Amino acid sequence: MNTHAKSGTPRPVISATGLFTPEDSISNEELVESFNAFVDRHNAAHAEAIEAGEVEPLTHSSVEFIEKASGIKARHVMNKAPLIDPAIMEPRHEPRGNDQLSLMAEIGVAAAREALAKAGRDVKDVDAVLCAASNMQRPYPAMAIEIQQALGIDGFGFDMNVACSSATFGIQTAADYVRAGNAKSVLVVSPEITSGHLNWRDRDSHFIFGDVATAVLVEDAEIAPDVHWDILGTKLKTVFSNNIRNNFGFLNRSDPESMGTDDKLFVQEGRKVFKEVVPMVAEMIVNEAERLAIDPAGLRRLWLHQANAGMNRLIAQRVLGHEANEDESPTVLDTYGNTSSAGSIIAFHLNNEDMVAGDTGLICSFGAGYSAGTVFVRKAA
Ligand code: CO8
C-alpha cells in the first residue's frame, strides 16, 4: 500500500496489469499451409464452374505477404486444431452449461487474477469490473458480472464494446469513476476471443487476429501500491466509418439473403483504414500531449495498438519526430497478431518494468468505429 499518498481529491492511477496468453499458437507457415489446402480443395470441387467462368477460383495466401504487409509472424488461439483443419477452418469449443464459467469469463478471470496479485489487492476492496472487448460471448448476464462473481467481488460490473479501443475507453471510464468518488478500485478486463469473429477462409484477413485476455487495475492513488502509473490524462475519439465492420447481430438473423455470408464476420478495407487512421491518431496524440503540456518527443515509450507494424512505425515517427526503435515503440504483433483492444495493454504489460520513476509514456488504441483512445501515464515511486 502507498503510505505516502495523502487523502483528498481522488486521483486515478494504474496499479497493475495482467495478461492471459493461450497455449496454442499458429505460425504463418501453418496458417498458410492450411489455407492453401482449403483453396485447392475448393477449386477442385468447383472445377467445372470455374472452367465455365461461373465461379471465381480462390487464390493462395503467402507467408511473405503476411509478414511484409502486417508484421505478424504468429498468433495465439484458444483452440488451434479446427482453425487450421482445411475441412473446418472455424473455431470449435466444448459447449459449457450455464452452471460453468464461460470461456470468455475464464480467460478474463485469469488476466484479472494476475493484475490483482501484482497489486496485492484483496478482492473485497475492488468496487467494479468493466468487461471491455470487441465481442461478447452473449448479451446477458453481462460477462463483467460473471467475472465479478468468479473473482468474489462485491460491487457492480457491466460490459462495454468500442472494438479495438475498448480497453482505453474502459480505462477512462474507470478513471472517471475514481475521480467522481464512485469507486476506488476498478478492474478493466479485455478478453478478446477474436478467432470467433475472423473469417479464416478469407485471404485478405485470415492472418490478422489472435486470442488473448488482459486486465488493468485502475485505482485511487490513495490505496494504490507504491509502484504504480499516474494517469496524466485520457482522450477518446470516434468517427463513423464502414471500413471495418461486422454485421453479426440478432436483427440480422431474419435476413435470409445475408444469413451465413461473410459480413457476419470481420470485414475491412485494410488500405483505407491504414491511410485514414494513421493521420487521425497521430494528430490526436500530438494535440493531447500539447493539452497536457507534455513534449511528445520526450515520451520514453509508446505502447501502441497492435494492428500493423507499418502503421505503428508511421504514427511513432510523427509523434516522436524520428523513427522509433523497438525500445521506444515495442511490438507484440509479431507473436500475438492483432488482439483488438488488448494489443496496447499487452505491449504495456510486457514492456514497462525497466522504466524508472518520472518516465512518461503513452498507451494508445485505434480501430473499428473508427475509435481511438490515448492514456498518458507517468511512473510513480
Ligand atoms: N497472401 C498473398 N497476397 C495477398 C493476401 C494474402 N493473404 N491478401 C491480400 N493479398 C494481395 C492482394 O490481393 C493485393 O494484390 P493486388 O495488388 O494484385 O490486388 C495485394 O496483396 C495487396 O493487398 P492489400 O492492399 O490489401 O494489402 P495491404 O498492403 O494494404 O495490407 C493489411 C493488408 C495488412 C490488412 C493492411 O492494409 C492493414 O493492416 N491495414 C490496417 C488494418 C487495421 O488496422 N485494421 C483494424 C482492424 S482491427 C479492429 O478495429 C478491431 C475489430 C474488432 C475485432 C474483430 C475480431 C475478428
Side-chain angles (χ1 to χ4, degrees):
M1 286 296 143
N2 184 353
T3 48
H4 311 297
K6 294 191 183 72
S7 57
T9 311
R11 193 168 55 81
V13 306
I14 293 177
S15 286
T17 54
L19 170 67
F20 167 83
T21 303
E23 277 175 23
D24 285 3
S25 169
I26 304 175
S27 68
N28 283 346
E29 288 74 14
E30 292 171 302
L31 185 79
V32 167
E33 189 185 334
S34 75
F35 182 89
N36 290 349
F38 151 75
V39 166
D40 293 341
R41 283 176 186 215
H42 178 276
N43 289 347
H46 297 87
E48 274 182 32
I50 291 170
E51 184 71 24
E54 292 157 9
V55 170
E56 281 289 318
L58 297 180
T59 314
H60 278 185
S61 182
S62 114
V63 171
E64 295 69 33
F65 169 84
I66 295 170
E67 192 169 336
K68 189 157 175 283
S70 69
I72 298 166
K73 297 178 186 164
R75 69 285 296 144
H76 290 274
V77 291
M78 293 302 293
N79 187 12
K80 172 176 176 172
L83 299 174
I84 57 165
D85 181 336
I88 304 175
M89 295 177 83
E90 285 175 5
R92 294 277 189 271
H93 300 288
E94 279 294 312
R96 297 183 183 191
N98 289 356
D99 56 342
Q100 292 175 288
L101 195 64
S102 50
L103 194 62
M104 200 172 157
E106 180 184 301
I107 66 171
V109 165
R113 282 198 202 286
E114 187 184 351
L116 292 167
K118 280 175 86 176
R121 176 67 56 236
D122 190 324
V123 287
K124 74 172 169 32
D125 295 324
V126 180
D127 303 303
V129 178
L130 312 186
C131 181
S134 291
N135 297 89
M136 298 301 158
Q137 186 164 341
R138 59 166 187 269
Y140 47 83
M143 302 311 302
I145 302 176
E146 191 179 5
I147 293 169
Q148 175 200 347
Q149 146 90 11
L151 291 170
I153 291 170
D154 182 20
F156 67 93
F158 62 88
D159 295 347
M160 52 184 290
N161 174 356
V162 201
C164 285
S165 292
S166 300
T168 53
F169 276 58
I171 290 171
Q172 174 164 317
T173 306
D176 286 344
Y177 278 129
V178 172
R179 281 189 200 103
N182 287 323
K184 279 190 181 299
S185 178
V186 183
L187 261 174
V188 181
V189 186
S190 300
E192 291 285 9
I193 307 185
T194 65
S195 55
H197 311 278
L198 179 58
N199 187 345
W200 295 86
R201 301 185 188 89
D202 173 37
R203 177 173 173 263
D204 286 354
S205 63
H206 76 116
F207 55 90
I208 295 180
F209 290 97
D211 299 338
V212 82
T214 55
V216 181
L217 188 62
V218 177
E219 301 192 307
D220 185 354
E222 192 182 57
I223 66 159
D226 286 340
V227 178
H228 62 256
W229 291 84
D230 292 325
I231 297 177
L232 306 177
T234 55
K235 182 82 179 170
L236 311 179
K237 184 179 172 76
T238 51
V239 179
F240 185 77
S241 169
N242 274 323
N243 289 333
I244 314 168
R245 195 162 171 125
N246 179 338
N247 282 335
F248 180 78
F250 72 98
L251 285 179
N252 299 335
R253 275 174 51 213
S254 56
D255 174 6
E257 290 299 314
S258 64
M259 270 293 283
T261 55
D262 294 348
D263 77 333
K264 302 298 181 296
L265 296 166
F266 168 89
V267 283
Q268 75 165 356
E269 297 276 351
R271 265 286 147 99
K272 287 188 187 161
V273 174
F274 196 113
K275 281 202 179 126
E276 292 171 9
V277 168
V278 167
M280 182 182 106
V281 171
E283 189 189 347
M284 181 181 171
I285 295 171
V286 171
N287 288 346
E288 178 63 356
E290 191 179 317
R291 188 181 76 82
L292 296 169
I294 293 168
D295 175 11
L299 287 168
R300 173 70 185 83
R301 191 163 288 162
L302 308 177
W303 300 281
L304 298 179
H305 175 53
Q306 303 285 314
N308 180 292
M311 281 175 109
N312 286 7
R313 201 165 39 247
L314 286 172
I315 291 170
Q317 162 105 44
R318 288 188 194 187
V319 171
L320 299 175
H322 62 264
E323 179 136 356
N325 58 36
E326 189 56 24
D327 184 61
E328 292 168 313
S329 177
T331 310
V332 300
L333 184 68
D334 49 349
T335 52
Y336 280 88
N338 181 340
T339 50
S340 194
S341 70
S344 57
I345 307 300
I346 306 172
F348 175 77
H349 178 87
L350 296 176
N351 299 281
N352 76 51
E353 288 195 351
D354 60 318
M355 292 174 69
V356 297
D359 278 349
T360 304
L362 168 69
I363 300 170
C364 178
S365 67
F366 39 88
Y370 297 131
S371 60
T374 60
V375 181
F376 283 88
V377 291
R378 180 167 296 146
K379 192 158 192 178

